[in-house]
């Protein structure tokens, strides 16, 4: 049984398109990706010894930089 507040699930194809658009610095795609991972980002931010807003900002920044720097590849289930 799924929880009422589970993270949104999107089809793989839609996710790939979001990542491809984010790599091209599409702000809407970047915002959608951040929204998809928002709960996880907030949970992770609690383990960083910074004010929560700063930790969330740092995680989001590094997440987007990884996408833009092409550190994710489409081989073996990853995106490039």
């Amino acid at each position: 049984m799924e929880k009422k507040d589970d993270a949104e699930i999107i089809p793989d194809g839609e996710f790939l398109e979001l990542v491809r658009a984010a790599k091209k610095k599409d702000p809407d795609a970047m915002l959608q990706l951040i929204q998809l991972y928002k709960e996880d980002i907030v949970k992770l931010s609690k383990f960083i010894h910074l004010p929560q807003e700063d930790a969330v900002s740092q995680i989001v920044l590094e997440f987007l930089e990884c996408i833009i720097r092409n550190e994710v590849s489409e081989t073996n289930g990853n995106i490039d």
Side-chain angles (χ1 to χ4, degrees), residues 17-47:
E17 288 304 315
L18 280 176
V19 172
R20 287 182 185 119
K23 284 182 179 190
K24 296 176 184 174
K25 300 184 181 179
D26 178 333
D28 291 331
M30 290 179 184
L31 286 173
Q32 287 180 4
L33 286 170
I34 292 166
Q35 282 300 108
L36 282 172
Y37 289 100
K38 183 178 181 177
E39 287 182 37
D40 295 321
I41 291 169
V42 171
K43 286 178 188 174
L44 288 172
S45 72
K46 294 176 183 176
F47 297 100

Side-chain angles (χ1 to χ4, degrees), residues 18-76:
L18 280 176
V19 172
R20 287 182 185 119
K23 284 182 179 190
K24 296 176 184 174
K25 300 184 181 179
D26 178 333
D28 291 331
M30 290 179 184
L31 286 173
Q32 287 180 4
L33 286 170
I34 292 166
Q35 282 300 108
L36 282 172
Y37 289 100
K38 183 178 181 177
E39 287 182 37
D40 295 321
I41 291 169
V42 171
K43 286 178 188 174
L44 288 172
S45 72
K46 294 176 183 176
F47 297 100
I48 299 174
H49 299 289
L50 291 172
Q52 187 170 15
E53 297 87 15
D54 293 342
V56 167
S57 295
Q58 188 65 36
I59 293 168
V60 168
L61 177 66
E62 300 227 4
F63 172 62
L64 294 175
E65 284 178 347
C66 285
I67 292 171
I68 291 171
R69 283 192 313 249
N70 292 316
E71 291 184 3
V72 188
S73 68
E74 285 187 35
T75 57
N76 298 325

